[in-house]
């Protein structure tokens, strides 16, 4: 199980429209069928304070300075780790989470050009140093992600509204993060069929649980 705590900490990362929530839902279903206790959660959000921060950071009108944005995500993460994630891992449960600190490194560090290393340090401080045991990166061509979103959304949030060039930087940043930590990351081609992806995710998680 976890290198740091009794539970297992699994995160899903990837661009907008890469299918993270679909895969997280399928994995949750499977883990429950195996009799596991699962806490399914997400960032931003996942706590009451986090949901208020989510409203600001995703939907507030007007410009938010990049550093303020990075600190809002970090504040959300600090509250979430302290109130939800760490307690569940201490109880020996499986935390299944949409987005975590790799999102901050990719979107704020590289997308907003705030320096990946500084954002990683800020995020680790906020998260009390807690890293996931397994991170599934759903890698997808930016234009495919965008067209999936176009089908699903009536309005875009602040980050989704960024230009294609921003999202390409985010994608490259994720791939670089995965290359730097191959033991933690499972990189999957998000254009594969949903069931095929789910089977690959299950195989990786089974190995982590063994
Ligand atoms: P959300 O709707 O939760 O995610 P998704 O688009 O994956 O369904 O939106 C969260 C947005 O916030 C998403 O565009 C990525 C962005 N984000 C950051 O920029 N930094 C972060 O640290 C996190 C957690 C998310």
């Amino acid at each position: 199980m976890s290198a740091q705590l009794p539970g297992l900490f699994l995160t899903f990362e990837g661009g907008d429209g890469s299918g993270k929530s679909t895969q997280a839902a399928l994995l949750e279903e499977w883990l429950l069928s195996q009799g596991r206790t699962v806490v399914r959660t997400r960032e931003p959000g996942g706590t009451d304070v986090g949901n208020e921060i989510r409203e600001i950071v995703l939907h507030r009108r007007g410009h938010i300075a990049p550093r303020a944005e990075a600190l809002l995500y970090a504040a959300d993460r600090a509250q979430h780790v302290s109130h939800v994630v760490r307690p569940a891992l201490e109880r020996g449960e499986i935390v299944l989470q949409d987005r975590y600190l790799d999102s901050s490194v990719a979107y704020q560090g590289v997308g907003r050009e705030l320096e990946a290393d500084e954002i990683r340090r800020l995020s680790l401080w906020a998260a009390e140093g807690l890293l996931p045991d397994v991170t599934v990166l759903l890698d997808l061509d930016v234009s495919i992600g965008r067209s999936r979103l176009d089908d699903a959304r009536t309005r875009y949030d602040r980050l989704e509204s960024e230009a294609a060039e921003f999202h390409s930087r985010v994608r490259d940043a994720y791939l670089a993060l995965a290359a730097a930590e191959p033991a933690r990351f499972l990189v999957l081609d998000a254009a594969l069929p949903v069931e095929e992806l789910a089977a690959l995710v299950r195989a990786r998680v089974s190995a982590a649980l063994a």
Side-chain angles (χ1 to χ4, degrees), residues 9-198:
F9 186 17
L10 309 172
T11 59
F12 284 83
E13 296 281 359
D16 303 289
S18 58
K20 296 179 297 299
S21 341
T22 304
Q23 288 303 324
L26 290 171
L27 181 61
E28 179 182 28
E29 215 173 274
W30 178 74
L31 286 166
L32 292 174
S33 77
Q34 305 289 302
R36 304 280 180 176
T37 305
V38 178
V39 173
R40 169 96 189 276
T41 186
R42 67 170 180 182
E43 287 183 11
T47 62
D48 290 347
V49 166
N51 279 320
E52 291 195 32
I53 295 173
R54 181 182 172 90
E55 261 316 294
I56 296 173
V57 84
L58 295 185
H59 302 301
R60 184 78 158 222
R61 278 175 219 277
H63 183 251
I64 297 180
R67 281 165 196 265
E69 181 181 282
L71 289 165
L72 285 165
Y73 281 112
D76 165 65
R77 184 158 303 126
Q79 183 75 3
H80 190 218
V81 167
S82 145
H83 285 219
V84 176
V85 180
R86 181 173 279 276
L89 294 173
E90 281 167 354
R91 292 193 299 269
E93 296 170 3
I94 298 177
V95 175
L96 193 54
Q97 185 167 321
D98 274 28
R99 298 194 180 278
Y100 189 52
L101 44 72
D102 301 299
S103 282
S104 282
V105 177
Y107 283 77
Q108 281 65 56
V110 179
R112 298 284 191 224
E113 300 180 85
L114 284 175
E115 285 290 325
D117 285 349
E118 288 202 330
I119 297 299
R120 183 180 163 86
R121 273 202 300 280
L122 171 70
S123 295
L124 276 172
W125 178 79
E128 304 165 43
L130 185 69
L131 279 171
D133 298 290
V134 177
T135 297
V136 177
L137 172 58
L138 293 167
D139 177 55
L140 189 63
D141 181 82
V142 168
S143 59
I144 300 178
R146 171 58 43 169
S147 66
R148 285 187 183 176
L149 274 195
D150 287 343
D151 293 341
R153 296 273 199 282
T154 48
R155 64 168 184 166
Y156 292 117
D157 67 41
R158 284 182 52 258
L159 281 293
E160 288 165 351
S161 308
E162 285 296 328
E165 184 201 300
F166 175 96
H167 292 287
S168 295
R169 281 205 301 279
V170 168
R171 181 189 188 193
D172 292 346
Y174 270 134
L175 291 171
L177 284 170
E181 279 184 84
R184 171 161 72 92
F185 276 88
L186 171 68
V187 184
L188 297 176
D189 174 359
L192 289 173
V194 169
E195 274 310 326
E196 210 171 304
L197 286 169

